[in-house]
Amino acid sequence: MKISLDFSGKSFKGASLSVHGAFEGGLLPKTTKKFEGKEGESFLSAEILWLGLGKKEKYSLEKARRAAAKALSQAKALQAGTLALDMEAMLGAFNPSEVTAAVVEGARLSSYRFDKYKSKRSPVSEPSVLTLVFPPKPDARMASAVRKALHEAEIVSGAVTFARDLANEPPNVMTPPALAAAAKEMAKKNGLICRVLGRAEMKKLGMGGILGVSQGSIFEPQFIILENKVASDARPVVLVGKGITFDTGGISIKPSGDMDKMKFDMCGAAAVIGAMKAVAELKFPMKVVGLAPVCENMPGSTAQRPGDILRISNGKTVEVLNTDAEGRLILADALSYAKRYAPKALVDIATLTGACAATFSDRAIAVMGTDPELVAKIERAGEKTGERCWELPLWDEYLELIRATYADIQNISKKAAGTITAGMFLKEFADHTKSWAHLDIAGTAWNDNSPKPLSPIGATGVGVRLFVELLKEL
């Protein structure tokens, strides 16, 4: 589907379906059926589709995305060949470029499918063209900003699709070496620097966390390093993503129900790799580094045991009381590795704790950090992208819950507060910078049993758009 812009209004005449938004309590079409403009409502009259946008004072960019997704869904159902979307009402109180980006994202992300392993694929029935129609005779500066927003939204949506594809691959295909190969290929296509450390190099660096977690797997662990090529002496922003390509829980094995979903335990790494793709294609002028520690967590005869003590690359020791709390172990080495970059800001993202999903369901990302300004920027980026974040505390008292008997710290809490104590654990390895934040996406990384407006069942690609927006702020 091609997405184009129209600043003349002529596209309405030739379109198979014209779409207009209406706010609740605003100017509504005269219909024979009840249509009040409430969010989610729609009304079809001849070749015109009316979408309810809800109350204008509660309108958001996320609602614009969802309205675009609904318009496309209706167009598919009607088998409309071309679609013209009236952007005037869609703007609300936002500027045209912001809404353009949101609408493009809504259309692209809602159209995502992962069906490469289906022997018989359903035919694609989406329109060949989606035209965003603006009022005639626009201001030249506004028109230029809208064109730029369309271009950038296409890039960001493509990066989310790439991250989804990585995470949706079955675990027998997306092994640690395969993920490293995918990162290398992406980097080569987009002019990024990519290096991958293997087991031998990790041993030299003393990366006891990732080596311990991976020792039960037949696949060698990978440590992916991505950097954009920019002529800048400024300190970089470093993004770190957890990459467990399959998580059985190790010796502390998980229940069998839904264990197939544990292929999604590398969604943090996928988000970082996808974000780096966007960074390259958007030609960000700032230095950005992406780190992804990648391995499997398997219960083989050589697997680490509860009671083992590991030494992380920064010298701190960890008593492993539960081998299913493995993500923090590999992130500990990655956060420690980031010290060499003297980062301006350091942010990690991970499907880290079931406690996060229990707290927020699939509605929010848990954020914790040492820099209130960085956390505030993450929260603003989350509101703008619809990948909303909510801060949890990192009070010193929580550290007492992970002090170990035989090592410096242990990898699970002595009591509850699973999400917070996981954050406290990671904080011990990010103490080389004053600006660090941790994002727990355990509840938002994939859809279990039902699709969402912007994504089907499977990986959501959460984090990619959040990172891009955060980097713009930084």
Side-chain angles (χ1 to χ4, degrees):
M1 179 179 69
K2 179 183 177 182
I3 300 181
S4 62
L5 302 173
D6 176 9
F7 296 101
S8 69
K10 294 179 181 179
S11 298
F12 287 126
K13 294 180 181 179
S16 304
L17 184 66
S18 295
V19 182
H20 301 268
F23 288 103
E24 187 177 351
L27 187 63
L28 299 173
K30 293 181 180 180
T31 70
T32 56
K33 294 184 179 180
K34 186 177 181 181
F35 178 77
E36 299 176 341
K38 292 181 178 179
E39 185 182 350
E41 275 189 332
S42 63
F43 175 77
L44 180 65
S45 175
E47 295 175 347
I48 299 176
L49 175 67
W50 290 90
L51 295 178
L53 301 177
K55 294 182 178 179
K56 194 169 185 177
E57 63 271 20
K58 292 187 176 181
Y59 187 58
S60 66
L61 293 175
E62 181 65 8
K63 290 182 179 180
R65 289 185 194 94
R66 295 187 179 198
K70 189 172 183 66
L72 198 60
S73 175
Q74 297 272 34
K76 289 177 183 177
L78 295 167
Q79 296 187 326
T82 56
L83 184 63
L85 177 61
D86 184 2
M87 291 293 287
E88 190 168 12
M90 295 285 290
L91 298 180
F94 296 95
N95 69 55
S97 58
E98 286 181 312
V99 180
T100 297
V103 166
V104 172
E105 289 172 3
R108 291 298 187 205
L109 299 182
S110 65
S111 298
Y112 175 83
R113 300 196 309 175
F114 187 80
D115 58 3
K116 65 184 286 188
Y117 293 103
K118 296 276 189 181
S119 55
K120 293 183 179 180
R121 301 183 191 182
S122 302
V124 177
S125 60
E126 69 182 18
S128 59
V129 178
L130 165 61
T131 304
L132 311 185
V133 185
F134 289 85
K137 298 180 181 179
D139 173 81
R141 185 177 295 178
M142 184 275 278
S144 176
V146 165
R147 291 189 184 97
K148 181 181 179 183
L150 169 59
H151 174 68
E152 292 185 354
E154 291 277 32
I155 288 173
V156 174
S157 298
V160 175
T161 293
F162 179 66
R164 287 178 176 179
D165 284 345
L166 292 177
N168 279 328
E169 286 285 355
N172 60 319
V173 172
M174 193 51 67
T175 60
L179 183 55
K184 283 181 180 178
E185 182 181 3
M186 181 279 292
K188 185 176 180 180
K189 287 180 179 178
N190 291 282
L192 292 168
I193 300 167
C194 181
R195 292 187 296 127
V196 179
L197 309 182
R199 180 177 279 122
E201 290 164 295
M202 293 181 206
K203 284 183 178 178
K204 289 180 181 178
L205 293 168
M207 292 184 168
I210 189 169
L211 290 171
V213 173
S214 65
Q215 68 190 43
S217 172
I218 61 171
F219 294 108
E220 183 165 330
Q222 314 284 309
F223 192 88
I224 301 168
I225 305 164
L226 293 164
E227 301 179 45
N228 62 334
K229 297 176 183 177
V230 292
S232 173
D233 294 327
R235 293 157 59 201
V237 175
V238 179
L239 309 176
V240 179
K242 172 188 171 183
I244 300 291
T245 59
F246 194 74
D247 180 21
T248 65
I251 296 297
S252 307
I253 198 162
K254 295 176 179 291
S256 60
D258 284 340
M259 196 192 283
D260 59 295
K261 307 296 192 306
M262 290 301 100
K263 70 176 187 174
F264 296 123
D265 214 15
M266 44 74 72
C267 283
V272 168
I273 296 169
M276 292 302 297
K277 182 177 188 292
V279 163
E281 293 181 356
L282 292 170
K283 296 179 171 57
F284 267 57
M286 64 195 298
K287 185 71 175 176
V288 186
V289 177
L291 304 177
V294 181
C295 65
E296 280 187 326
N297 185 23
M298 302 294 282
S301 61
T302 57
Q304 68 175 352
R305 299 147 292 248
D308 282 1
I309 292 179
L310 308 177
R311 187 177 296 277
I312 306 301
S313 49
N314 71 344
K316 293 181 181 178
T317 56
V318 179
E319 188 175 355
V320 179
L321 298 186
N322 188 318
T323 63
D324 193 24
E326 85 298 330
R328 65 203 71 183
L329 300 176
I330 70 171
L331 288 173
D333 277 322
L335 291 171
S336 299
Y337 187 87
K339 181 179 181 179
R340 68 193 56 214
Y341 297 102
K344 169 185 175 182
L346 174 61
V347 185
D348 72 76
I349 184 169
T351 49
L352 206 62
T353 65
C356 179
T359 301
F360 294 116
S361 183
D362 59 356
R363 300 299 192 264
I365 299 166
V367 57
M368 289 155 269
T370 55
D371 179 358
E373 186 177 345
L374 176 61
V375 170
K377 287 178 179 178
I378 289 171
E379 290 179 326
R380 285 198 297 272
E383 288 298 323
K384 192 168 183 178
T385 59
E387 297 184 343
R388 302 174 77 180
C389 303
W390 191 264
E391 186 179 10
L392 296 176
L394 285 178
W395 299 329
D396 291 342
E397 289 83 351
Y398 283 110
L399 185 59
E400 297 302 317
L401 298 180
I402 55 170
R403 291 198 188 279
T405 303
Y406 302 108
D408 295 328
I409 54 175
Q410 60 191 46
N411 74 329
I412 57 172
S413 171
K414 294 174 182 175
K415 292 184 179 180
T419 301
I420 295 172
T421 51
M424 288 299 298
F425 181 98
L426 296 178
K427 181 173 176 283
E428 291 294 295
F429 304 93
D431 55 359
H432 53 81
T433 179
K434 293 180 179 179
S435 187
W436 162 76
H438 160 60
L439 303 173
D440 193 331
I441 56 170
T444 56
W446 70 89
N447 298 328
D448 273 330
N449 302 311
S450 60
K452 293 178 183 175
L454 300 185
S455 60
I457 292 173
T460 63
V462 69
V464 175
R465 292 185 297 121
L466 179 67
F467 277 148
V468 171
E469 191 60 37
L470 174 64
L471 290 170
K472 288 179 181 179
E473 279 217 40
L474 292 171

